[in-house]
Amino acid sequence: MWRFLRAVVAGLLLAACAVALPPPAGAAAAPARIMALGDSITGSPGCWRALLWQHLQETGHAGVDFVGTLPPQGCGFTYDGENEGHGGFLATGIVRDNQLPGWLSATHPDIVLMHLGTNDVWNNIPASTILDAFTTLLGQMRAANPATKLIVAKIIPMNPANCAACGQRVVDLNNAIPAWAQAHSTTASPITVVDQWTGFDTAADTTDGVHPNGTTGIRKMESRWYPALVAALGPATPAATGLHVDGTRIAEANGAAFVMRGVSHAHVWYPTQTRAFADIKSFGANTVRVVLGSGQRWGPTSAAEVTTVIGLCKQNRLICVLEVHDTTGFGEESAAASLDQAAGYWISVAGALKGQENYVVLNLGNEPFGNNQQVSATWATATSNAITRLRGAGLQHLLMADAPMWGQDWQNIMRDDAASVLNADPQHNTVFSIHMYGVYDTAAEITGYFDSFRTAGLPLVVGEFGNMHTDGNPDEDTIMAEAQARGLGYLGWSWSGNSSDVAYLDMVNGFDPASLTPWGERFFNGANGIRQTSKEATVYGGGSGDTQAPTTPGTPAVSGVTSSGVTLTWSASADNVGVTGYDVLRAPGASGGTFAVIGSTGTTTFTDTGLAASSTYRYQVRARDAAGNTSAGSGVATATTGAGGGTGACKVAYSASNWGGGNGFTANVTVTNTGPGTLTGWTLGFTFGGGQQVTLPGWGATFAQSGAAVTATNLAWNGTLAPNASTGIGFNGTFTGSNPAPAAFTLNGSACAAG
């Protein structure tokens, strides 16, 4: 039943990186001057700014100065709150009255956070006119400071009582902002787009349909600004020591990429089975994940024993991932330890760990939450707090954070909150670990989860998986193939000694390396297995030394063009070791503009969605290998989207059953891709005609409702629809009077046929 337990936690985080130059030798770095520019959402009181300043202070970014001609407003604590958040102001009005140059000359910002356009939309000013105002404001910023970094928001949704059309006007503006930013961004003065719209609910997150409330609203806004601002501030975090996160990959101290290929070993239950380290190495593994106890349920494993374990890892040329197992199922398993208790254990054995950063990864706690939804919702806070404690105790190791929900993250809590946890680490040195068992029994679910971390630019490993399980049959072939194609680490469970109910997860019988089980045979000797893909860490003298880039991929061929999307296909690159994936780049217009990465794929096809109708775009692709070498860009392909308004390549079947004796109903919806190309990522839109209300969360999609308008966005497991493929979604709802079906449906902005 795991597949039917997924709940929806919405959230999409977009950020782009910018480069900050160091100060001249011998000079102290001046504080970065940050201007928050906007209307009342920014300044009255705009307490997201207070939370943002506080978050920066807590994570080591103290060298910032918020600037503006307006003073801070009361937000319950003292903060640096100068700003340019002028209530009631329009972007077009600021340009008309030439107000920005005076503010700039008084404040001299380095970085501008701009959330503008709400009042323009309210006054029915077209999106194109608002963007023209943005262009003028950007020119004034660059005239004052040619190195200005602009972070511009896709603004929060609005649903005021006196403007029924405002919601769609916001969507129209937001849809146009990314292309505007790409067209105007430069290396010297980069523009980052932050999505403040997705996942923001006017009913739950505002006071009046427009202004963020003082609880969830301001916190959602702060969480979107923070990573983009940190990226713009540049690499101000302390340098990591030893093994460390480098973008989406793990690297050694010398910068060489390290891809984990290893096995878990239950040391705390079998402490005399020390030969296992050498036996695991004999099959070619480069990593061993060692089960320890913190004393709440097992152990505690003493500092002296930790020293012995690390010595066995080093003796056998294995990277040592140490994990506390006592946390397993916290919130559901009554005896489980908390992450705070696990952090206390790591600090108690810090003497055995310090100095081993080249060889040791600290896995904070195994599967640290069970299926208790209320407790699992605290994953981000509990994980961040544990990381903060370890960093405060001087532990500089690469940290590994397991997902909640028995490690399988079937509610996507880790997926949606991982960025905030990584940013809470002063070392910015945490990798996230997903455990893949019965929840991940299809290729779409596996690739969807992997894609979400790659798109967000976050590091991920498969910290556990098997070839079967009591909760379902995991697709180990896809897990291993996709991990290899993407350069992701994986660690199989487990060497030997499992209890009889899950003995099928033993890789060898009775700790005997000469007696492989079917799972062990598959894991070590099968396709994309340990023997075929593992490379020893360079700290032990291993490594490929690969410096050869892949060949240039073929020029993309365009197909499946709609009013809002296009499918690209290209011929594969070749590489002396192996191509791990492709980056897809896009530029606006038939000429000019700047190419920017819009996505990545492990195959030779990609579907770009959410495009503007009747618009021209240019595309090229480049290949990557496991060592991080990148090919030259392919030839350029040009695509022009359709005019829209007709029937797109989709079909929607809707049926609703009213509940007897009440005003409730259950709706089931089938979405079918009738186009010639694979659909990657979709949002279904429709409008109720009878005042119906969706009872969240629904199933099969992330549902949201604003007034009569409803959207449903795919989950990770059903986001990819091949030609003629369908997916079923649904929800419960309420109605008064009649309950008519929606008259029309759109998919990614294109109208769908009824069916």
Side-chain angles (χ1 to χ4, degrees):
M1 297 297 293
W2 283 89
R3 295 181 62 192
F4 302 99
L5 293 174
R6 298 178 182 85
V8 175
V9 179
L12 177 65
L13 195 66
L14 301 176
C17 293
V19 178
L21 296 176
R33 300 171 67 83
I34 302 165
M35 172 193 283
L37 173 63
D39 46 41
S40 56
I41 292 171
T42 296
S44 301
C47 287
W48 60 261
R49 292 181 290 103
L51 296 179
L52 181 59
W53 177 85
Q54 185 181 63
H55 196 172
L56 292 169
Q57 305 307 300
E58 292 172 346
T59 52
H61 298 279
V64 296
D65 180 16
F66 279 67
V67 297
T69 60
L70 297 178
Q73 294 80 23
C75 292
F77 58 90
T78 302
Y79 67 102
D80 183 6
E82 287 81 11
N83 67 96
E84 299 294 351
H86 299 266
F89 277 34
L90 287 69
T92 50
I94 294 171
V95 168
R96 179 195 62 218
D97 299 330
N98 199 34
Q99 292 168 304
L100 182 59
W103 301 339
L104 294 169
S105 64
T107 58
H108 308 291
D110 303 301
I111 301 170
V112 177
L113 311 180
M114 188 170 79
H115 188 286
L116 263 178
T118 300
N119 291 309
D120 300 79
V121 165
W122 214 332
N123 282 271
N124 198 20
I125 294 174
S128 59
T129 305
I130 300 172
L131 292 181
D132 287 342
F134 282 9
T135 302
T136 300
L137 296 173
L138 176 65
Q140 292 171 342
M141 295 174 198
R142 288 174 171 168
N145 177 4
T148 297
K149 298 173 184 176
L150 174 61
I151 305 176
V152 60
K154 295 172 71 173
I155 64 175
I156 64 174
M158 57 186 297
N159 185 29
N162 63 348
C163 184
C166 279
Q168 183 58 47
R169 293 175 194 163
V170 170
V171 172
D172 294 341
L173 173 61
N174 284 342
N175 285 345
I177 286 175
W180 174 86
Q182 289 180 9
H184 291 85
S185 185
T186 67
T187 301
S189 177
I191 303 174
T192 301
V193 178
V194 168
D195 186 359
Q196 293 286 0
W197 189 88
T198 302
F200 200 99
D201 186 341
T202 56
D205 301 324
T206 71
T207 57
D208 55 1
V210 179
H211 298 88
N213 61 32
T215 53
T216 57
I218 61 172
R219 292 190 181 279
K220 283 187 177 181
M221 291 193 70
E222 187 277 336
S223 71
R224 311 295 171 83
W225 287 121
Y226 177 84
L229 179 54
V230 168
L233 289 171
T237 54
T241 301
L243 290 159
H244 61 277
V245 165
D246 179 13
T248 59
R249 67 174 190 160
I250 295 171
E252 296 186 64
N254 62 2
F258 179 70
V259 181
M260 292 184 187
R261 290 287 181 264
V263 184
S264 290
H265 168 52
H267 172 81
V268 73
W269 303 311
Y270 301 98
T272 63
Q273 293 289 346
T274 54
R275 175 184 157 180
F277 292 83
D279 291 339
I280 289 169
K281 179 65 176 181
S282 72
F283 283 92
N286 63 23
T287 305
V288 61
R289 180 170 177 255
V290 186
V291 179
L292 306 180
S294 60
Q296 281 72 37
R297 300 171 72 181
W298 301 285
T301 307
S302 68
E305 194 172 357
V306 170
T307 297
T308 298
V309 166
I310 295 172
L312 287 166
C313 289
K314 294 167 72 173
Q315 177 183 330
N316 292 286
R317 304 163 72 90
L318 292 163
I319 294 300
C320 213
V321 177
L322 304 179
E323 62 108 327
V324 163
H325 215 75
D326 304 56
T327 55
T328 307
F330 179 76
E332 184 175 351
E333 169 55 60
S334 59
S338 67
L339 276 175
D340 187 64
Q341 289 173 308
Y345 168 74
W346 292 122
I347 293 170
S348 75
V349 297
L353 301 171
K354 291 181 178 179
Q356 304 298 327
E357 293 84 359
N358 286 330
Y359 309 96
V360 172
V361 179
L362 300 184
N363 193 171
L364 297 173
N366 181 69
E367 299 179 1
F369 293 92
N371 288 332
N372 183 304
Q373 296 187 29
Q374 184 175 1
V375 178
S376 287
T378 68
W379 173 85
T381 300
T383 304
S384 297
N385 289 343
I387 291 170
T388 299
R389 287 192 63 193
L390 266 59
R391 298 305 188 208
L395 292 169
Q396 298 180 316
H397 303 68
L398 172 63
L399 302 179
M400 183 184 292
D402 277 10
M405 299 291 179
W406 297 98
Q408 298 203 73
D409 200 29
W410 53 265
Q411 283 193 327
N412 290 326
I413 293 171
M414 183 174 81
R415 184 200 71 179
D416 294 338
D417 293 338
S420 67
V421 171
L422 183 63
N423 289 322
D425 180 357
Q427 296 282 347
H428 211 69
N429 196 26
T430 299
V431 63
F432 299 95
S433 169
I434 181 66
H435 291 187
M436 289 188 156
Y437 292 106
V439 171
Y440 300 94
D441 56 356
T442 68
E445 291 162 325
I446 295 161
T447 57
Y449 199 87
F450 288 170
D451 284 346
S452 65
F453 273 75
R454 179 166 61 189
T455 299
L458 296 169
L460 182 72
V461 297
V462 182
E464 277 188 26
F465 73 107
N467 64 332
M468 62 180 74
H469 206 263
T470 53
D471 67 354
N473 183 17
D475 183 356
E476 70 277 7
D477 291 340
T478 297
I479 293 170
M480 297 168 78
E482 285 293 323
Q484 176 61 18
R486 298 163 184 259
L488 298 179
Y490 66 65
L491 303 169
W493 185 275
S494 70
W495 180 243
S496 194
N498 285 289
S499 57
S500 59
D501 57 327
V502 288
Y504 50 79
L505 289 173
D506 281 356
M507 294 181 179
V508 299
N509 295 303
F511 291 93
D512 181 0
S515 180
L516 283 174
T517 66
W519 171 221
E521 180 68 34
R522 169 68 188 92
F523 183 79
F524 289 114
N525 298 325
N528 299 299
I530 294 290
R531 288 195 188 277
Q532 189 181 98
T533 66
S534 178
K535 297 184 185 301
E536 188 176 81
T538 63
V539 73
Y540 295 124
S544 66
D546 179 18
T547 60
Q548 181 174 324
T551 61
T552 304
T555 301
V558 175
S559 64
V561 179
T562 68
S563 62
S564 61
V566 59
T567 295
L568 308 170
T569 306
W570 57 90
S571 58
S573 298
D575 187 67
N576 61 317
V577 176
V579 174
T580 60
Y582 297 87
D583 296 324
V584 181
L585 297 87
R586 184 181 70 200
S591 62
T594 303
F595 279 97
V597 176
I598 58 165
S600 299
T601 177
T603 68
T604 56
T605 185
F606 181 85
T607 299
D608 190 17
T609 59
L611 303 176
S614 302
S615 298
T616 299
Y617 300 90
R618 304 191 316 283
Y619 296 91
Q620 61 179 178
V621 295
R622 64 191 185 201
R624 291 175 283 100
D625 65 16
N629 300 308
T630 303
S631 76
S634 71
V636 175
T638 301
T640 301
T641 55
T647 299
C650 51
K651 180 174 67 175
V652 176
Y654 177 95
S655 63
S657 301
N658 295 348
W659 301 345
N663 65 340
F665 70 98
T666 298
N668 288 289
V669 185
T670 301
V671 180
T672 302
N673 175 18
T674 59
T678 298
L679 182 64
T680 304
W682 52 264
T683 296
L684 178 72
F686 58 90
T687 301
F688 278 128
Q692 301 98 320
Q693 290 291 314
V694 174
T695 302
L696 298 177
W699 55 89
T702 300
F703 285 88
Q705 183 168 1
S706 177
V710 179
T711 59
T713 302
N714 67 273
L715 302 181
W717 58 273
N718 65 353
T720 301
L721 293 178
N724 299 315
S726 299
T727 188
I729 64 175
F731 57 90
N732 293 324
T734 58
F735 66 95
T736 56
S738 63
N739 182 21
F745 296 87
T746 62
L747 198 69
N748 293 340
S750 295
C752 293

